[in-house]
Amino acid sequence: MTESYSVAILGATGAVGAELLQLLEERNFPISNLKLLASPRSAGQVLEFKGECFTLEAVSEKSFQGMDIVLASAGGSTSKAWAEAIVQSGAVMIDNSSAFRMDPSVPLVVPEVNPDAVEDHRGIIANPNCTTILMSLAVWPLHQACPIQRLLAATYQSASGAGARAMEELKQQTQAILNQQDPPAEIFPYPLAFNLFPHNSPLNAQGYCEEEMKMIHETRKIFGAPDLRVSATCVRVPVLRAHSEAINLEFAEPLSADRARQILAEAPGVKLLEDWDKNYFPMPMDASGKDEVLVGRIRQDLSHPCGLELWICGDQIRKGAALNAIQIAELLVNRNLVQSAMAVSS
């Protein structure tokens, strides 16, 4: 990456926005101009990047002029509101919300899984849901070795998935309960501290919540497998940061646990963590702040000759959101695709 680029972060004050800023510095992304955008109430705040202070600007129609890449992490309604202005300005929008994920004209990308999808962008590239990203890193290499016919997932999702305010609320709830006080519940519908509940996103007529349907539809799109049988149960748990998932895979033919370990040991973005003697497998505290998705407790499914069980943990804010977006930006730069949005918008 010899050239440098003008980059904007839309939603710079949130948990993912802060991680985006940190990762741009850690990975030495080639930036010639950085613009931090937020709502009017956050405008004027100052954030630091590479020892330099940057003042947050209130987003407007003119915010994206001269930008090459816009990393959007301010929610679906905000992404929809500014998408046209971003694309018309000639920038590429890498969107962390669910607004465009299932749009057939918008690539949905996990760089370790379907990097070539970025070639087809028309100014917008969608970042998948956190649970889908984490799961796909562990499942895709196995699917390549032996086609998967059915995938079942149960997620154990941390407070970080609901943002910085939700993480703070979990801390406050914990302290309140320890002090024998009523725990505040404003971000979550119910107290999360010392508790858990099925994911609180809206339910459909079949009884699946929105979060579960994201995993189903997004996995099919990323894998290029519209008929893949997928089901999920998503649960919010009292963990501050990093999601966990129990995954059951049914293959077209038997795939041994040892062979699965060999495949995953060489898979990008994955790290094996298993100590069977100590019954030690991936935990959120191991995954927090890490780039890799941790995989362990790989075992045969006793109920099916072609079944395999996995347990994974991954940092929702990092690989589940910000890191994946930065890796998409790096793909665009390395493949010289940043300026292609200019042609689309002209």
Side-chain angles (χ1 to χ4, degrees):
M1 295 186 289
T2 57
E3 297 183 19
S4 56
Y5 301 85
S6 294
V7 177
I9 298 178
L10 177 58
T13 58
V16 175
E19 199 77 11
L20 284 167
L21 194 63
Q22 179 180 332
L23 283 166
L24 287 171
E25 181 168 350
E26 284 183 13
R27 298 173 74 86
N28 198 29
F29 191 86
I31 296 177
S32 59
N33 179 35
L34 178 65
K35 186 177 289 188
L36 304 181
L37 303 171
S39 63
R41 68 176 179 274
S42 298
Q45 293 184 29
V46 176
L47 297 178
E48 186 176 313
F49 177 74
K50 290 189 174 181
E52 185 177 347
C53 291
F54 289 80
T55 301
L56 268 72
E57 303 177 23
V59 61
S60 70
E61 290 281 349
K62 298 180 180 180
S63 296
F64 311 106
Q65 294 178 3
M67 292 291 106
D68 297 314
I69 298 171
V70 176
L71 301 167
S73 188
S77 59
T78 300
S79 293
K80 288 179 180 179
W82 297 108
E84 184 177 355
I86 293 170
V87 174
Q88 287 186 350
S89 75
V92 182
M93 178 187 189
I94 301 173
D95 184 40
N96 197 57
S97 78
S98 62
F100 303 101
R101 288 175 185 159
M102 298 314 300
D103 186 326
S105 67
V106 175
L108 184 67
V109 178
V110 178
E112 295 88 346
V113 177
N114 61 336
D116 292 343
V118 299
E119 302 278 351
D120 299 324
H121 85 80
R122 301 179 184 178
I124 302 174
I125 299 174
N127 213 25
N129 191 48
C130 50
T131 50
T132 306
I133 293 173
L134 302 176
M135 179 180 69
S136 67
L137 258 68
V139 172
W140 176 252
L142 301 177
H143 180 59
Q144 292 294 95
C146 186
I148 292 168
Q149 296 187 329
R150 188 178 186 216
L151 188 162
L152 304 177
T155 71
Y156 305 79
Q157 297 180 221
S158 62
S160 64
R165 292 175 60 202
M167 296 169 72
E168 185 60 31
E169 181 170 277
L170 176 57
K171 295 178 185 178
Q172 294 172 357
Q173 289 178 353
T174 302
Q175 190 62 54
I177 292 174
L178 291 174
N179 291 336
Q180 299 183 328
Q181 299 171 347
D182 291 334
E186 297 178 1
I187 307 303
F188 293 118
Y190 316 107
L192 184 58
F194 303 100
N195 193 28
L196 58 81
F197 47 81
H199 199 281
N200 53 292
S201 55
L203 297 170
N204 65 16
Q206 290 77 37
Y208 280 77
C209 72
E210 188 176 86
E211 187 81 356
E212 293 159 351
M213 296 308 297
K214 288 177 184 177
M215 293 190 73
I216 294 169
H217 293 312
E218 292 177 21
T219 302
R220 289 171 174 168
K221 181 175 180 178
I222 295 165
F223 283 22
D227 298 323
L228 181 64
R229 290 181 291 162
V230 183
S231 186
T233 299
C234 296
V235 180
R236 188 74 74 184
V237 296
V239 172
L240 197 61
R241 178 169 175 155
H243 292 351
S244 304
E245 302 182 32
I247 302 169
N248 180 282
L249 303 173
E250 179 186 328
F251 295 90
E253 58 188 48
L255 180 72
S256 71
D258 285 340
R259 177 60 182 141
R261 287 189 187 92
Q262 292 173 357
I263 294 168
L264 291 171
E266 300 175 359
V270 170
K271 181 178 179 180
L272 288 176
L273 179 60
E274 293 184 314
D275 189 329
W276 290 88
D277 292 335
K278 295 182 179 179
N279 198 13
Y280 191 105
F281 304 104
M283 294 185 284
M285 66 173 60
D286 300 314
S288 293
K290 303 293 194 308
D291 290 347
E292 302 89 356
V293 172
L294 307 181
V295 184
R297 207 167 181 234
I298 303 168
R299 64 198 190 282
Q300 300 297 143
D301 179 350
L302 298 179
S303 72
H304 197 292
C306 298
L308 204 64
E309 304 269 10
L310 310 175
W311 173 257
I312 72 170
C313 288
D315 190 316
Q316 177 276 326
I317 303 176
R318 207 164 177 95
K319 180 54 186 173
L323 176 59
N324 201 75
I326 299 295
Q327 289 174 313
I328 292 172
E330 291 171 347
L331 266 179
L332 292 173
V333 167
N334 288 329
R335 296 189 180 203
N336 199 28
L337 294 171
V338 175
Q339 298 303 321
S340 60
M342 292 285 288
V344 173
S345 60
S346 60

